[in-house]
Amino acid sequence: KMIIVPVGKAGNRVVQCAGMISGDGEQCTFVENVDLEGAVESWLATLEQAMIMGVAKHLQGSLHGYKGKKEKWIKEWHGQLLITTGAINWTMDCTKALQAITGGNKNAMRQLKKKQIGYISRCTDFVRGNLTKLERNKTVALITMEIHNRDVMERMVKS
């Protein structure tokens, strides 16, 4: 779905799109509204760019929010951004651990895996709490990805 701005609502002279809404009801606003007038091929290409820029803007916020309390981060950000942010941070952490191993710290990946297990434990405690259906679905999806990440770490530790 699209977040439509009718003519005149925001001082606009044409119908605009201000963002998108997922099937779960999560809203992602654009950096700038897109005018929905003229040839559909033209505004549709502009709409696609607005979607990309909007998601990129929200991803920046999610990456920043990841550094704080995870419960707040999960509640505030879109599900797909949680997964993407988690994947980015997990990759950076694993890269640092592998570099540490190269530098002589043979236990770096084991230490990271222990941290990952603690994170999964906090997420599972959180999912048992008082959450909306959407928050619970986002948390379950995140836990699934983090368990996969833990399993990959375990394989790296063993190799």
Side-chain angles (χ1 to χ4, degrees), residues 13-17 34-44 46:
R13 294 181 293 127
V14 299
V15 175
Q16 294 180 325
C17 182
V34 176
D35 291 344
L36 304 180
E37 75 168 343
V40 69
E41 302 84 17
S42 176
W43 64 256
L44 201 53
T46 305

Side-chain angles (χ1 to χ4, degrees), residues 53 55 76 80 82 86 98 103 107 126-128 140 144:
M53 289 177 14
V55 170
E76 287 184 357
Q80 188 60 51
L82 299 177
L98 291 170
N107 291 319
F126 179 66
V127 81
R128 291 185 195 117
V140 167
T144 301

Side-chain angles (χ1 to χ4, degrees), residues 64-82:
H64 181 66
Y66 183 83
K67 297 171 186 168
K69 288 193 60 90
K70 297 301 182 267
E71 294 84 1
K72 182 179 181 209
W73 173 68
I74 291 169
K75 287 185 174 194
E76 287 184 357
W77 295 100
H78 307 97
Q80 188 60 51
L81 294 177
L82 299 177

Side-chain angles (χ1 to χ4, degrees), residues 1 37 123:
K1 287 179 158 181
E37 75 168 343
C123 287

